[in-house]
Amino acid sequence: IYPKWLTITTVRDASNQPTHYVAAFTDITERKAADERIHHLAFYDPLTGLPNRRLLMDRAEHALASSSRTREYGALIFIDLDNFKTLNDTQGHAVGDQLLIEVGKRLGTNVREVDTVSRLGGDEFVLLLEDLGHEEESAAALAESIADKIRAHLGQPFQLEGLSQECHTTSSIGLTLFHDQ
C-alpha cells in the first residue's frame, strides 16, 4: 500500500460511447513525505520535537475560543531555565542541546494529553493548560500545583553525555490564567 495519484481517462468510440478506461498511477510517496517534513519544520522545534511558537499561537487561539464557549479557565505557564547561557558557554552547545531535549521530555510528563508543551526558542518553554475548571480559585490552585511540580521535576539532576557529573538547573516560572479573554 502506498500513496498514489490516479488519473482515469475515458476512451470513446466513433459514436462517443465509452468503450474502456485508461488509468495512470504515479507514486507520490516522496511528495507526501516531503509535505510531512515541511509541516513538521513549520510547526515543531527541530531540536526537541515540541510544538514551536507558531503552533503554540494556533493552539492558544483555539484554547481561548474553547474557554469562551465552555466558560472554563485555562493557563499559560512560562518557563525559563536559569543560567542556561553559562552552561552553553562553558560546556558547549551539544551539552546545552541535550539539556533542552531532556527538559522538554520532563515537561511532557507533567501535563495531560489536552495540554501543549512548546519551546519558544533558546531556553524558553511554554505550557498551555486547558479545561482547568469553572472556578477561578480552583483553576489557579491547579495551575500553581502543576507549576510547582514542574519546578521540582526540573530541579532534579540531569545525566548528560559529555559531563562527568550530574547537571543541576533551576527555572524561573511565570503563570497566568485565561478565561474568555
Side-chain angles (χ1 to χ4, degrees):
I1 296 175
Y2 61 92
K4 55 189 163 192
W5 183 267
L6 170 63
T7 303
I8 302 175
T9 304
T10 304
V11 178
R12 300 180 181 275
D13 62 16
S15 62
N16 205 25
Q17 295 299 314
T19 58
H20 57 282
Y21 299 91
V22 177
F25 298 93
T26 303
D27 182 350
I28 59 170
T29 303
E30 288 181 23
R31 184 188 322 176
K32 296 286 279 181
D35 288 347
E36 288 174 16
R37 280 192 303 274
I38 289 167
H39 179 269
H40 193 77
L41 288 171
F43 294 106
Y44 292 88
D45 174 57
L47 179 65
T48 62
L50 295 173
N52 64 15
R53 179 186 309 266
R54 179 181 288 171
L55 186 52
L56 173 66
M57 296 305 292
D58 184 61
R59 290 187 180 173
E61 286 178 27
H62 173 70
L64 284 170
S66 177
S67 173
S68 179
R69 269 192 322 279
T70 64
R71 314 300 282 169
E72 289 201 40
Y73 282 87
L76 285 172
I77 299 177
F78 289 81
I79 302 160
D80 184 78
L81 301 180
D82 299 332
N83 304 312
F84 178 74
K85 184 179 179 335
T86 302
L87 174 76
N88 240 1
D89 291 346
T90 60
Q91 301 300 321
H93 290 283
V95 172
D97 287 352
Q98 284 183 63
L99 178 62
L100 294 172
I101 292 167
E102 292 304 314
V103 166
K105 288 177 184 176
R106 285 191 188 180
L107 292 175
T109 64
N110 286 288
V111 296
R112 305 162 296 169
E113 283 288 319
V114 298
D115 300 326
T116 299
V117 177
S118 65
R119 178 173 173 231
L120 292 185
D123 62 343
E124 297 175 331
F125 295 84
V126 175
L127 277 64
L128 172 64
L129 308 177
E130 296 186 61
D131 305 328
L132 296 178
H134 292 81
E135 300 298 322
E136 183 175 9
E137 285 184 28
S138 62
L142 180 56
E144 185 178 2
S145 168
I146 292 169
D148 287 342
K149 192 163 81 169
I150 287 168
R151 184 179 303 109
H153 206 172
L154 293 181
Q156 295 175 0
F158 290 87
Q159 299 290 334
L160 303 176
E161 283 184 38
L163 290 182
S164 58
Q165 59 192 30
E166 297 175 329
C167 176
H168 295 270
T169 188
T170 57
S171 57
S172 297
I173 298 179
L175 185 153
T176 187
L177 290 179
F178 61 85
H179 180 256
D180 190 27
Q181 56 187 340

